[in-house]
Amino acid sequence: MILNQWYAIASSKEVKNDKVLGLKRLNLELVLYRENGKVKVLEDKCCHRGAALSKGKKVNNCIQCPFHGIEFAGDGSSKYIPAEGKAFQKSLNRFKVKSYQVVEQDGIIFIWYGDEEPTIQPPHFEVIRNSNLKMKEKTDVWNAHYSRVIENQLDTIHLPFVHHNTIGRGNKTLVNGPKVTWIDENTLQTSANNDLDNGQQPLKPEESIIKDTNLTFKYPNIWLNHVSDKILIMIFFAPIDDSNTKLYLRFYNSITGIGIVDSIISWFGKFANNIVQKQDKRVVITQKPKASGLKVGEKLLVGDKPIIEYRKRREELKNIKKNDIES
Ligand code: FES
Ligand SMILES: [Fe+2]
């Protein structure tokens, strides 16, 4: 994981108002609930005797531990220790569970994964904030490190092979470019520009173009496929641990401008999306080593440029902290 980043970890709809939810994300056992409607995230371990708070329930706007009933608020502080009685307040300060900073936006829950205070906002794509868009979501868990899943979404070489009968139809095996543009220091954009191989030389990345249909990735884990102004596919890749990732696949459209019709289109879209992703999953889960990196001993091609750029920046972000300490 990259330290000091906002990671998208869950969909808003997963956290109901009256329930507590246990989730493993970023190698951490977490419990989520809503305090006055606002999502709160705590470590899923009671500081009394270690029981999972996610097995408890919401009581008095707190999470009540299932073991001895201590109630914890969203900031992790304890509000009530039943065994010591309502009149006894002295121990409350000693009982505190680790809490995480949370932002909920665009129906996504982000947590701050870091050892410093956030100096940045969570990433977002402005285009999906268009209220005419209708969205449907599907999720899937892959036995793959999230870096591998992200790289797959930036990979244009695989299209005619992995997706030979879907989005890669037409045997366009020759890869022009791909061009990679940095929109800002943590946002890269690229697009597929593949061709039939008639013996011509592929265009170099700088001779290639970013098409209207393009891919944008924002660190650490959200991605957008701009198919057209009216069709968008967004994925966030929630790392569960070093070997598993949950994909939240969202299909947005405003094709007809009629809400109910566009909702139905997105409903079909999410299944089409899922067929394509299943083709990817079959191969990506076999990649070794599990996590990607700059020095994993792979022989890369010019067409891997988006992946190389992704790896370089990821490495930089991972090293920022280290360099700070050294300097
Ligand atoms: S373990 Fe949670 S209250 Fe005892
Ligand atoms: Fe793919």
Side-chain angles (χ1 to χ4, degrees), residues 73-191:
D75 63 358
S77 63
S78 64
K79 296 292 178 202
Y80 176 42
I81 304 174
E84 297 190 333
K86 286 191 175 126
F88 196 85
Q89 297 290 313
K90 256 195 341 218
S91 300
L92 289 180
N93 290 340
R94 281 203 306 126
F95 284 78
K96 193 159 175 42
V97 172
K98 181 173 171 52
S99 65
Y100 291 85
Q101 301 203 46
V102 189
V103 169
E104 188 175 14
Q105 64 183 25
D106 306 318
I108 303 171
I109 296 164
F110 292 83
I111 63 164
W112 178 249
Y113 180 81
D115 57 0
E116 295 169 0
E117 284 300 300
T119 52
I120 49 174
Q121 300 294 313
H124 77 278
F125 295 110
E126 199 59 40
V127 279
I128 64 162
R129 293 187 169 172
N130 175 352
S131 58
N132 292 327
L133 289 167
K134 298 294 166 205
M135 185 275 282
K136 296 288 176 197
E137 180 183 280
K138 193 145 178 46
T139 63
D140 196 18
V141 174
W142 292 18
N143 175 224
H145 189 269
Y146 80 104
S147 59
R148 291 293 197 184
V149 189
I150 288 168
E151 288 183 357
N152 172 62
Q153 304 298 334
L154 302 172
D155 178 342
T156 60
I157 308 179
H158 80 293
L159 292 170
F161 299 97
V162 172
H163 306 298
H164 60 95
N165 57 355
T166 55
I167 56 169
R169 267 192 302 265
N171 202 33
K172 292 185 176 175
T173 54
L174 190 83
V175 174
N176 290 311
K179 191 180 180 78
V180 175
T181 301
W182 285 87
I183 310 278
D184 62 48
E185 60 178 4
N186 290 325
T187 307
L188 76 83
Q189 192 169 68
T190 189
S191 73

